Amino acid sequence: MPHEHREPRRARTPRGAPLDILVGPAHPLAGRDGVGLAEFAADPWIGSNPGRAYHQLVTLACAGAGFAPDVVHYADEWDTGAALVARGFGVALVPRLAELPAHDTRRIPISTAPAPIRRVVAAVRAGSRNRPGTAAGLAALRHATASLAPALGGSAGSTPVALLRAGRGPGPG
């Protein structure tokens, strides 16, 4: 049912979480402290199924580094993806804050530009920020962001990203 009244929404995004490359213990770059994403252009990749936000994130990150990933295995859960990486079936991008299961993998920071990041966006209708449920959710997001700031490499300030019109979201993901 179409909405007759559409209020603008205010979107805020906390600091982005960097993505790291996940490799198996036998990968030739497993011992490095930092890598460029383009160094993995010839590797087989493990990603999520097409149509999912993570699939798009990996595809766009690799395109920004100048290549299209050869996704040979699809896994929508971190456990499955990490297990495939640990056994040498490919490499994967993982958010730095993602808790991975106990598989024998190496997480390497991407240290050259373009270093991909993942952002979580909170969008609320104008005027609804002080409603109890909305205020509690935003406070929890601010608290989580503040507690994770050291792992993200800096302060936890939020940055306004856009004033959005209803029906025009920030895009997939």
Side-chain angles (χ1 to χ4, degrees):
M1 171 178 237
H3 291 43
E4 292 182 19
H5 177 67
R6 295 184 181 254
E7 295 181 50
R9 294 178 281 174
R10 171 72 66 193
R12 297 181 71 81
T13 182
R15 172 181 294 281
L19 297 175
D20 298 325
I21 193 82
L22 190 65
V23 300
H27 193 280
L29 302 179
R32 300 259 301 268
D33 292 330
V35 293
L37 190 54
E39 294 181 73
F40 298 90
D43 281 275
W45 280 77
I46 297 159
S48 70
N49 284 292
R52 310 239 351 179
Y54 179 69
H55 177 83
Q56 185 175 16
L57 179 66
V58 169
T59 302
L60 292 173
C62 293
F67 70 97
D70 180 18
V71 179
V72 296
H73 297 285
Y74 297 98
D76 289 331
E77 301 84 24
W78 294 123
D79 188 28
T80 305
L84 290 167
V85 169
R87 286 160 183 80
F89 288 104
V91 300
L93 278 179
V94 295
R96 183 156 304 154
L97 297 177
E99 290 187 32
L100 296 176
H103 293 291
D104 192 10
T105 58
R106 306 294 184 271
R107 188 189 296 241
I108 309 170
I110 298 169
S111 55
T112 61
I117 60 171
R118 177 179 78 160
R119 293 194 187 276
V120 176
V121 176
V124 299
R125 275 192 297 190
S128 67
R129 179 176 305 197
N130 295 324
R131 289 185 177 176
T134 303
L138 292 173
L141 184 58
R142 278 191 300 276
H143 175 73
T145 301
S147 67
L148 296 172
L152 298 175
S155 67
S158 294
T159 306
V161 292
L163 180 63
L164 304 169
R165 300 240 178 250
R168 294 179 162 237

